[in-house]
Amino acid sequence: MRAITYSQPGGPDVLELRDAPVPDPGPGEVRVRVAFSGVNPTDWKSRSKTPPGPDGQIPDQDGSGTVDAVGQGVDPVLVGERVWIWEAAWQRRWGTAAEYTVVPARQTVLLGAEPSFELGAALGIPFLTAHRCLTVAESLPDRIGPGSLQGRTVLVQGGAGAVGNAAVQLARWADATVVATVSSPEKAQLAAAAGADHVVDYRRQDVVAEVRKVAPQGVDSIVEVSAAVNAGIDAQVIGMHGAVAMYADDGGAEITVPVRLQMGPNARWQFVLVYTEPARAKEIGVEDVNAAVLDGAVRVGREAGLPLHVFPLDQAAQAHQAVQDGAVGKVLIDVTA
């Protein structure tokens, strides 16, 4: 099979297209014939910093495809099913940037006949991260679905990013009022296309004033992409028993929080990393995200506020570079091209 591998950490140039044996699924595993691989910031960060094992590393956590074989203990009825994959390469050699991958069966989710493989590969880390961010506040339910966030207001800082887009789509599915911040008119259009009720251009508008117009008592949840920059704003708009969920790192940045201002609302400042979040929270996230997909509430493409940038497998290095350079939208690798 064709596979992208690297044997030492470094820039995108360490990624090589090689011919590799098709792996056999072990006990509890399935083998998936990959259609699309999804590239996330954690993929290039891991590639650049973490030494791979002696057999090399196939990158990328997310993907989609068709179950091709099952290992011992896995129901063979899964063979032929279309699935989406999450955390394929977390502490494992087999990522999704290859024609075949093997993963624990629980890390594949039935995609059904209608959703596209592109959508399936765009789920994983962005949508599970967004789900976690939307459910950590004490005043909010730990599950989301239609009506679960009705009467609540969510602020998505960076509403045109992959996680921001996922948060907007999931929050709207749950009937929240969604305010998204962006940095340009073009990104404002993307956030609105995703379903944001209100869009604030932070370079041209006063974010605190605009958010307070929508939620005079403060917002219930903040999905935060840049806590070091936005902490002062977040502290002024978080509502009673709300949470600021921080899922990204500005290169080792630190945050300063006004303690007294946060004591009044009993606000929570929560750090979020999908890979190490509590197991039950992750299970719920997978179930809820899949329910949103089956409900037709999740979309991809420019019309959904998430432009797709698709590269063939032999251009995996360019795909990683695009994510590293901050491509707006979702970067995918078409493994079948």
Side-chain angles (χ1 to χ4, degrees):
M1 69 170 185
R2 297 183 306 148
I4 298 296
T5 66
Y6 62 96
S7 57
Q8 61 183 7
D13 57 299
V14 303
L15 298 176
E16 298 180 288
L17 179 63
R18 293 184 177 180
D19 187 49
V22 176
D24 292 320
E29 293 183 331
V30 299
R31 184 172 67 204
V32 178
R33 186 171 71 251
V34 180
F36 285 87
S37 175
V39 186
N40 298 294
T42 52
D43 295 317
W44 73 257
K45 291 175 183 177
S46 176
R47 182 214 69 227
S48 64
K49 298 177 182 179
T50 306
D55 295 324
Q57 177 69 45
I58 297 173
D60 300 350
Q61 303 288 347
D62 297 339
S64 61
T66 305
V67 175
D68 172 74
V70 300
Q72 182 181 355
V74 180
D75 193 333
V77 74
L78 289 176
V79 174
E81 291 287 353
R82 303 169 80 249
V83 296
W84 59 277
I85 303 165
W86 53 275
E87 284 186 29
W90 174 246
Q91 299 181 334
R92 301 175 67 257
R93 182 192 176 205
W94 301 98
T96 59
E99 290 183 314
Y100 292 88
T101 191
V102 290
V103 292
R106 69 182 186 87
Q107 288 172 223
T108 61
V109 187
L110 296 180
L111 187 58
E114 294 300 322
S116 68
F117 281 132
E118 290 92 333
L119 185 150
L123 297 171
I125 297 305
F127 276 83
L128 295 181
T129 298
H131 184 279
R132 176 68 170 162
C133 290
L134 293 169
T135 54
V136 294
E138 287 184 299
S139 59
L140 298 181
D142 60 3
R143 304 205 68 135
I144 58 176
S148 65
L149 297 181
Q150 189 168 14
R152 309 288 190 166
T153 303
V154 172
L155 171 61
V156 180
Q157 296 273 35
V163 174
N165 173 276
V168 171
Q169 292 202 59
L170 290 177
R172 285 299 301 124
W173 177 58
D175 294 309
T177 296
V178 181
V179 183
T181 64
V182 296
S183 61
S184 69
E186 179 185 4
K187 290 182 178 180
Q189 292 179 351
L190 295 176
D197 300 285
H198 308 273
V199 182
V200 180
D201 187 330
Y202 65 79
R203 290 181 174 170
R204 296 169 173 81
Q205 296 172 281
D206 183 326
V207 175
V208 173
E210 295 302 318
V211 171
R212 285 290 181 177
K213 290 178 184 177
V214 178
Q217 303 303 314
V219 301
D220 299 281
S221 176
I222 299 177
V223 181
E224 182 54 76
V225 68
S226 185
V229 174
N230 296 328
I233 292 172
D234 295 339
Q236 293 180 71
V237 300
I238 194 67
M240 189 66 67
H241 305 154
V244 181
M246 300 163 280
Y247 67 87
D249 170 32
D250 298 324
E254 298 181 357
I255 64 171
T256 300
V257 179
V259 176
R260 174 61 64 178
L261 188 60
Q262 300 308 279
M263 289 175 67
N266 273 255
R268 173 180 292 182
W269 291 68
Q270 174 83 40
F271 297 92
V272 172
L273 182 66
V274 165
Y275 305 105
T276 57
E277 74 172 290
R280 181 53 184 157
K282 192 180 298 186
E283 291 172 2
I284 291 174
V286 171
E287 293 170 2
D288 287 356
V289 168
N290 201 52
V293 172
L294 297 180
D295 201 24
V298 174
R299 304 166 297 138
V300 294
R302 179 168 291 276
E303 66 279 6
L306 192 70
L308 299 181
H309 310 278
V310 182
F311 296 80
L313 187 61
D314 60 5
Q315 293 181 19
Q318 291 93 319
H320 273 232
Q321 187 66 60
V323 176
Q324 194 166 341
D325 291 342
V328 177
K330 184 64 184 179
V331 173
L332 302 177
I333 296 173
D334 184 348
V335 178
T336 66

